[in-house]
Amino acid sequence: MANVSVFNIEGNEVGTLELNDAVFGVEVNEHLVHMAVVSQLANKRQGTQKAKTRSEVSGGGRKPWRQKGTGHARQGSIRAPQWKGGGVVFAPTPRDYTIKLNKKERRLALKSALTSRVQENKFIVVDEMNFDEIKTKKFQTVMNNLKVNKALVVLGEGSEKVVLSARNIPTVKTASVGTINVYDILKYNTVVATKAAVASIEEVYA
């Protein structure tokens, strides 16, 4: 099992934590990780774009001029795509972009992402993170103490003040154990998690 250092919010090492290999020590499956990211980004698309084809644009029911003898190129409708105000050739229509992954595939992709962060020494465990007040400056100080810039911070229950303290920092995103996902784990340089959050992750995904 992998051992990681545990830090306090002052950035001092206060112990070590043994991680469960069933979650943080799996064989990294890059293909599933890629599929999970593609699926997540695709599922965020609304798919509501629409443009009219030549059959849907109003007007253009009659031939603008006779077929021969005018000197013009032959035309059948003023709503053909080459005309101003005409229809779009391959117009986009509302569609569903959803890409589905099996539950086991999603879980393995998440474990692979977490394992990769542990292997790269970009997984930091904090003993606890509780604030008495909502203070952005205090949260930024904690990040500076941990020498972390762009981070995904995974928190346990009862961390509302920490979440509110972090929301104005553009390089930080907070998440609960139930909302962590592969895209965020890979997007942010470092994953910072409390001991309580790590225990919950192991309980849910082991």
Side-chain angles (χ1 to χ4, degrees):
M1 290 188 175
N3 285 318
V4 292
S5 298
V6 178
F7 298 89
N8 58 20
I9 58 175
E10 282 77 35
N12 301 319
E13 186 174 340
V14 293
T16 59
L17 181 66
E18 197 173 85
L19 299 176
N20 191 338
D21 282 347
V23 179
F24 297 98
V26 301
E27 184 179 347
V28 178
N29 190 322
E30 292 184 3
H31 173 67
L32 278 185
V33 171
H34 171 73
M35 286 300 299
V37 172
V38 170
S39 172
Q40 188 174 338
L41 294 179
N43 295 350
K44 288 170 78 172
R45 297 184 69 175
Q46 286 185 314
T48 54
Q49 70 273 43
K50 177 73 174 75
K52 292 183 178 181
T53 62
R54 62 180 294 171
S55 66
E56 296 169 317
V57 180
S58 62
R62 63 187 286 272
K63 197 172 171 65
W65 50 73
R66 65 181 188 269
Q67 181 81 346
K68 294 177 176 292
T70 62
H72 294 299
R74 55 194 174 189
Q75 301 290 337
S77 169
I78 62 170
R79 290 297 176 252
Q82 71 270 23
W83 283 72
K84 181 176 184 244
V88 179
V89 180
F90 298 114
T93 54
R95 54 168 286 197
D96 183 9
Y97 287 94
T98 301
I99 297 175
K100 292 184 179 179
L101 281 182
N102 295 331
K103 185 176 180 180
K104 287 183 178 179
E105 290 177 326
R106 288 200 309 270
R107 289 172 69 93
L108 184 54
L110 186 67
K111 291 178 184 179
S112 294
L114 289 170
T115 299
S116 68
R117 281 292 177 247
V118 173
Q119 291 175 349
E120 295 164 1
N121 295 321
K122 294 181 178 178
F123 189 86
I124 297 175
V125 179
V126 180
D127 58 350
E128 60 179 11
M129 197 180 292
N130 294 314
F131 291 176
D132 298 327
E133 58 180 344
I134 300 169
K135 200 75 175 174
T136 303
K137 188 174 181 180
K138 184 175 181 180
F139 188 91
Q140 185 62 61
T141 301
V142 173
M143 293 293 101
N144 293 340
N145 291 340
L146 296 172
K147 297 177 182 176
V148 171
N149 181 19
K150 192 175 180 183
L152 173 68
V153 181
V154 186
L155 302 166
E157 298 295 327
S159 303
E160 290 79 11
K161 290 182 180 178
V162 181
V163 172
L164 293 174
S165 298
R167 65 179 174 177
N168 278 342
I169 303 176
T171 57
V172 170
K173 180 175 181 178
T174 57
S176 64
V177 174
T179 61
I180 56 174
N181 57 76
V182 175
Y183 178 72
D184 284 341
I185 292 171
L186 299 180
K187 178 182 177 182
Y188 293 89
N189 295 339
T190 309
V191 176
V192 178
T194 61
K195 284 180 70 174
V198 172
S200 297
I201 292 171
E202 292 179 343
E203 185 180 341
V204 172
Y205 295 100

